[in-house]
PDB file of all heavy atoms in Angstrom:
ATOM      1  N   SER A 584       0.607   2.171  -0.883  1.00 91.00           N
ATOM      2  CA  SER A 584       1.434   3.360  -0.995  1.00 91.00           C
ATOM      3  C   SER A 584       1.173   4.324   0.151  1.00 91.00           C
ATOM      4  O   SER A 584       0.071   4.424   0.676  1.00 91.00           O
ATOM      5  CB  SER A 584       1.165   4.070  -2.321  1.00 91.00           C
ATOM      6  OG  SER A 584       1.584   3.265  -3.409  1.00 91.00           O
ATOM      7  N   GLY A 585       2.230   5.031   0.528  1.00 96.00           N
ATOM      8  CA  GLY A 585       2.146   6.080   1.525  1.00 96.00           C
ATOM      9  C   GLY A 585       3.033   7.226   1.077  1.00 96.00           C
ATOM     10  O   GLY A 585       3.398   7.335  -0.090  1.00 96.00           O
ATOM     11  N   ILE A 586       3.420   8.068   2.018  1.00 97.00           N
ATOM     12  CA  ILE A 586       4.323   9.173   1.740  1.00 97.00           C
ATOM     13  C   ILE A 586       5.677   8.866   2.375  1.00 97.00           C
ATOM     14  O   ILE A 586       5.762   8.621   3.582  1.00 97.00           O
ATOM     15  CB  ILE A 586       3.783  10.506   2.282  1.00 97.00           C
ATOM     16  CG1 ILE A 586       2.463  10.852   1.617  1.00 97.00           C
ATOM     17  CG2 ILE A 586       4.810  11.621   2.070  1.00 97.00           C
ATOM     18  CD1 ILE A 586       2.563  11.143   0.126  1.00 97.00           C
ATOM     19  N   ARG A 587       6.708   8.858   1.538  1.00 97.00           N
ATOM     20  CA  ARG A 587       8.078   8.699   2.041  1.00 97.00           C
ATOM     21  C   ARG A 587       8.660  10.079   2.288  1.00 97.00           C
ATOM     22  O   ARG A 587       8.649  10.935   1.406  1.00 97.00           O
ATOM     23  CB  ARG A 587       8.929   7.927   1.038  1.00 97.00           C
ATOM     24  CG  ARG A 587      10.373   7.714   1.518  1.00 97.00           C
ATOM     25  CD  ARG A 587      11.102   6.758   0.603  1.00 97.00           C
ATOM     26  NE  ARG A 587      11.249   7.304  -0.731  1.00 97.00           N
ATOM     27  CZ  ARG A 587      11.199   6.560  -1.850  1.00 97.00           C
ATOM     28  NH1 ARG A 587      11.000   5.258  -1.782  1.00 97.00           N
ATOM     29  NH2 ARG A 587      11.344   7.125  -3.042  1.00 97.00           N
ATOM     30  N   ILE A 588       9.167  10.294   3.489  1.00 97.00           N
ATOM     31  CA  ILE A 588       9.787  11.561   3.863  1.00 97.00           C
ATOM     32  C   ILE A 588      11.293  11.333   3.955  1.00 97.00           C
ATOM     33  O   ILE A 588      11.744  10.424   4.662  1.00 97.00           O
ATOM     34  CB  ILE A 588       9.264  12.084   5.210  1.00 97.00           C
ATOM     35  CG1 ILE A 588       7.739  12.171   5.205  1.00 97.00           C
ATOM     36  CG2 ILE A 588       9.889  13.433   5.541  1.00 97.00           C
ATOM     37  CD1 ILE A 588       7.146  12.486   6.571  1.00 97.00           C
ATOM     38  N   THR A 589      12.060  12.157   3.258  1.00 96.00           N
ATOM     39  CA  THR A 589      13.515  12.040   3.253  1.00 96.00           C
ATOM     40  C   THR A 589      14.126  13.368   3.678  1.00 96.00           C
ATOM     41  O   THR A 589      13.735  14.424   3.172  1.00 96.00           O
ATOM     42  CB  THR A 589      14.041  11.674   1.848  1.00 96.00           C
ATOM     43  OG1 THR A 589      13.418  10.470   1.402  1.00 96.00           O
ATOM     44  CG2 THR A 589      15.559  11.486   1.870  1.00 96.00           C
ATOM     45  N   ILE A 590      15.055  13.314   4.623  1.00 96.00           N
ATOM     46  CA  ILE A 590      15.831  14.509   4.947  1.00 96.00           C
ATOM     47  C   ILE A 590      16.851  14.705   3.836  1.00 96.00           C
ATOM     48  O   ILE A 590      17.732  13.873   3.617  1.00 96.00           O
ATOM     49  CB  ILE A 590      16.542  14.372   6.305  1.00 96.00           C
ATOM     50  CG1 ILE A 590      15.524  14.204   7.434  1.00 96.00           C
ATOM     51  CG2 ILE A 590      17.443  15.585   6.573  1.00 96.00           C
ATOM     52  CD1 ILE A 590      16.143  14.008   8.806  1.00 96.00           C
ATOM     53  N   THR A 591      16.732  15.794   3.108  1.00 96.00           N
ATOM     54  CA  THR A 591      17.633  16.048   1.975  1.00 96.00           C
ATOM     55  C   THR A 591      18.805  16.945   2.347  1.00 96.00           C
ATOM     56  O   THR A 591      19.836  16.928   1.680  1.00 96.00           O
ATOM     57  CB  THR A 591      16.858  16.691   0.811  1.00 96.00           C
ATOM     58  OG1 THR A 591      16.218  17.893   1.264  1.00 96.00           O
ATOM     59  CG2 THR A 591      15.815  15.723   0.266  1.00 96.00           C
ATOM     60  N   HIS A 592      18.644  17.740   3.407  1.00 95.00           N
ATOM     61  CA  HIS A 592      19.729  18.650   3.796  1.00 95.00           C
ATOM     62  C   HIS A 592      19.497  19.101   5.231  1.00 95.00           C
ATOM     63  O   HIS A 592      18.346  19.244   5.670  1.00 95.00           O
ATOM     64  CB  HIS A 592      19.761  19.871   2.871  1.00 95.00           C
ATOM     65  CG  HIS A 592      20.834  20.863   3.213  1.00 95.00           C
ATOM     66  ND1 HIS A 592      22.170  20.633   2.965  1.00 95.00           N
ATOM     67  CD2 HIS A 592      20.762  22.093   3.805  1.00 95.00           C
ATOM     68  CE1 HIS A 592      22.874  21.671   3.368  1.00 95.00           C
ATOM     69  NE2 HIS A 592      22.047  22.567   3.884  1.00 95.00           N
ATOM     70  N   THR A 593      20.578  19.308   5.963  1.00 93.00           N
ATOM     71  CA  THR A 593      20.476  19.888   7.297  1.00 93.00           C
ATOM     72  C   THR A 593      21.457  21.042   7.410  1.00 93.00           C
ATOM     73  O   THR A 593      22.483  21.081   6.727  1.00 93.00           O
ATOM     74  CB  THR A 593      20.791  18.868   8.406  1.00 93.00           C
ATOM     75  OG1 THR A 593      22.160  18.458   8.305  1.00 93.00           O
ATOM     76  CG2 THR A 593      19.886  17.646   8.311  1.00 93.00           C
ATOM     77  N   ALA A 594      21.131  21.992   8.274  1.00 89.00           N
ATOM     78  CA  ALA A 594      22.033  23.096   8.574  1.00 89.00           C
ATOM     79  C   ALA A 594      22.003  23.318  10.080  1.00 89.00           C
ATOM     80  O   ALA A 594      20.934  23.247  10.704  1.00 89.00           O
ATOM     81  CB  ALA A 594      21.611  24.366   7.838  1.00 89.00           C
ATOM     82  N   GLY A 595      23.169  23.562  10.658  1.00 84.00           N
ATOM     83  CA  GLY A 595      23.238  23.743  12.097  1.00 84.00           C
ATOM     84  C   GLY A 595      22.931  22.452  12.832  1.00 84.00           C
ATOM     85  O   GLY A 595      23.161  21.352  12.332  1.00 84.00           O
ATOM     86  N   SER A 596      22.378  22.575  14.015  1.00 82.00           N
ATOM     87  CA  SER A 596      22.066  21.413  14.845  1.00 82.00           C
ATOM     88  C   SER A 596      20.740  20.805  14.396  1.00 82.00           C
ATOM     89  O   SER A 596      19.724  21.494  14.285  1.00 82.00           O
ATOM     90  CB  SER A 596      21.979  21.839  16.310  1.00 82.00           C
ATOM     91  OG  SER A 596      21.660  20.743  17.138  1.00 82.00           O
ATOM     92  N   ALA A 597      20.751  19.496  14.120  1.00 84.00           N
ATOM     93  CA  ALA A 597      19.555  18.801  13.641  1.00 84.00           C
ATOM     94  C   ALA A 597      19.490  17.422  14.279  1.00 84.00           C
ATOM     95  O   ALA A 597      20.522  16.818  14.581  1.00 84.00           O
ATOM     96  CB  ALA A 597      19.581  18.678  12.116  1.00 84.00           C
ATOM     97  N   PRO A 598      18.288  16.865  14.479  1.00 85.00           N
ATOM     98  CA  PRO A 598      18.156  15.591  15.186  1.00 85.00           C
ATOM     99  C   PRO A 598      18.633  14.382  14.398  1.00 85.00           C
ATOM    100  O   PRO A 598      19.051  13.395  14.977  1.00 85.00           O
ATOM    101  CB  PRO A 598      16.660  15.493  15.484  1.00 85.00           C
ATOM    102  CG  PRO A 598      16.011  16.380  14.476  1.00 85.00           C
ATOM    103  CD  PRO A 598      16.980  17.488  14.219  1.00 85.00           C
ATOM    104  N   ARG A 599      18.538  14.409  13.071  1.00 88.00           N
ATOM    105  CA  ARG A 599      18.996  13.285  12.246  1.00 88.00           C
ATOM    106  C   ARG A 599      19.747  13.837  11.044  1.00 88.00           C
ATOM    107  O   ARG A 599      19.650  15.015  10.707  1.00 88.00           O
ATOM    108  CB  ARG A 599      17.823  12.408  11.767  1.00 88.00           C
ATOM    109  CG  ARG A 599      17.013  11.725  12.862  1.00 88.00           C
ATOM    110  CD  ARG A 599      17.787  10.678  13.639  1.00 88.00           C
ATOM    111  NE  ARG A 599      18.278   9.608  12.816  1.00 88.00           N
ATOM    112  CZ  ARG A 599      17.585   8.494  12.506  1.00 88.00           C
ATOM    113  NH1 ARG A 599      16.345   8.345  12.937  1.00 88.00           N
ATOM    114  NH2 ARG A 599      18.135   7.544  11.776  1.00 88.00           N
ATOM    115  N   ASP A 600      20.504  12.948  10.359  1.00 88.00           N
ATOM    116  CA  ASP A 600      21.341  13.366   9.241  1.00 88.00           C
ATOM    117  C   ASP A 600      20.586  13.304   7.915  1.00 88.00           C
ATOM    118  O   ASP A 600      19.549  12.636   7.791  1.00 88.00           O
ATOM    119  CB  ASP A 600      22.572  12.464   9.157  1.00 88.00           C
ATOM    120  CG  ASP A 600      23.458  12.581  10.388  1.00 88.00           C
ATOM    121  OD1 ASP A 600      23.552  13.693  10.939  1.00 88.00           O
ATOM    122  OD2 ASP A 600      24.033  11.553  10.795  1.00 88.00           O
ATOM    123  N   ALA A 601      21.151  13.970   6.900  1.00 90.00           N
ATOM    124  CA  ALA A 601      20.612  13.871   5.545  1.00 90.00           C
ATOM    125  C   ALA A 601      20.602  12.419   5.099  1.00 90.00           C
ATOM    126  O   ALA A 601      21.526  11.656   5.387  1.00 90.00           O
ATOM    127  CB  ALA A 601      21.445  14.716   4.591  1.00 90.00           C
TER     128      ALA A 601
END
Side-chain angles (χ1 to χ4, degrees):
S584 294
I586 298 294
R587 181 171 64 215
I588 306 172
T589 304
I590 298 178
T591 56
H592 179 73
T593 65
S596 179
R599 298 294 300 273
D600 297 325

